[in-house]
Amino acid sequence: DTVLTQSPALAVSPGERVTISCRASESVSTLMHWYQQKPGQQPTLLIYLASNLESGVPARFSGSGSGTDFTLTIDPVEADDTATYYCQQSWNDPTFGGGTKLELK
Amino acid sequence: QIQLVQSGPELKKPGESVKISCKASGYTFTDYAMHWVKQAPGKGLKWMGWINTYTGKPTYADDFKGRFVFSLEASASTANLQISNLKNEDTATYFCARWGYYYDGTYYLYYFDYWGQGVMVTVSS
């Protein structure tokens, strides 16, 4: 299985820029996707294929990367962005990162 | 609009079985595979497997072979997950997720584009 590693938590102030990283144990090309999950809710798709913004998602969210290293950027961060963010690869059987919990100061 | 609506919460005893459903609407059900994802309390997302909604063929991740069964009621645009011989460690929220795709002219590139709201299954004696 392809293991995805994320840092567990981040704390930022509203208006700042935040980057959330995801490292894959092997190359997944650009088959990396990002989801947002708020407490008690289902995940929602933010970014697909590394850098494509899902329809309806604010342009404050962006994604980059290829191969093994990927980044989700939120700029500027808003209070509503408090959530856990997961990366997921579809190069082979789907796997998820452990999630990064974003808290606002 | 596209929706995946799952059945309600379940409280079961160890050894019992549970069947949860995922009803799709707003698109042609058989055009997209359906996947299942487990989330234990306070934990991350774990892929369980998927079902081909056109052929009905299920595929299970290694950790979900044996007690887990994916099935369809295609006429009702519904995918089901049945878990038998429930154990305490099956306590979790179970999500269905549509396997969406982008066609780049050569390949279909897949990701989870829509999710059900999740079903909380609690196993307790």
Side-chain angles (χ1 to χ4, degrees):
Chain A
D1 289 1
T2 303
V3 176
L4 304 181
T5 302
Q6 298 181 243
S7 52
L10 286 170
V12 298
S13 298
E16 290 186 344
R17 178 177 184 267
V18 65
T19 58
I20 297 171
S21 64
C22 177
R23 174 162 288 177
S25 61
E26 61 182 313
S27 176
V28 298
S29 184
T30 57
L31 300 184
M32 184 66 78
H33 323 292
W34 291 92
Y35 304 86
Q36 178 192 64
Q37 185 180 34
K38 297 181 178 180
Q41 297 185 18
Q42 71 269 45
T44 59
L45 178 66
L46 296 174
I47 301 288
Y48 62 97
L49 301 173
S51 61
N52 295 276
L53 189 68
E54 173 69 348
S55 176
V57 174
R60 303 182 290 102
F61 293 87
S62 63
S64 64
S66 67
T68 60
D69 292 295
F70 298 85
T71 299
L72 172 70
T73 300
I74 312 172
D75 186 16
V77 171
E78 296 183 358
D80 187 53
D81 299 335
T82 297
T84 300
Y85 293 85
Y86 293 94
C87 55
Q88 176 254 320
Q89 63 80 24
S90 55
W91 177 256
N92 43 38
D93 283 346
T95 53
F96 294 90
T100 297
K101 187 173 184 178
L102 180 65
E103 296 180 339
L104 269 63
K105 297 176 185 174
Chain B
Q1 75 282 21
I2 295 168
Q3 285 189 302
L4 301 178
V5 178
Q6 297 187 242
S7 47
E10 301 274 3
L11 175 59
K12 296 290 184 180
K13 291 180 168 50
E16 295 184 336
S17 295
V18 68
K19 187 175 184 178
I20 60 181
S21 66
C22 170
K23 183 171 176 59
S25 61
Y27 70 97
T28 301
F29 182 68
T30 52
D31 283 350
Y32 296 81
M34 193 70 76
H35 290 239
W36 292 92
V37 176
K38 176 183 179 180
Q39 187 170 41
K43 302 297 186 183
L45 303 168
K46 187 168 187 176
W47 179 70
M48 300 174 66
W50 64 286
I51 186 163
N52 183 317
T53 54
Y54 187 76
T55 66
K57 179 185 176 185
T59 299
Y60 302 96
D62 287 344
D63 287 348
F64 298 96
K65 292 178 179 176
R67 299 187 296 113
F68 300 82
V69 176
F70 307 146
S71 63
L72 300 176
E73 296 169 49
S75 61
S77 298
T78 298
N80 300 306
L81 164 63
Q82 183 163 351
I83 311 172
S84 59
N85 189 22
L86 282 162
K87 306 178 185 303
N88 289 335
E89 54 263 38
D90 296 325
T91 293
T93 297
Y94 294 87
F95 295 99
C96 58
R98 194 180 83 158
W99 200 222
Y101 58 82
Y102 172 80
Y103 183 60
D104 70 355
T106 304
Y107 299 105
Y108 287 89
L109 308 172
Y110 295 93
Y111 48 91
F112 300 118
D113 60 353
Y114 290 92
W115 295 66
Q117 83 276 17
V119 176
M120 180 66 202
V121 175
T122 303
V123 183
S124 175
S125 55

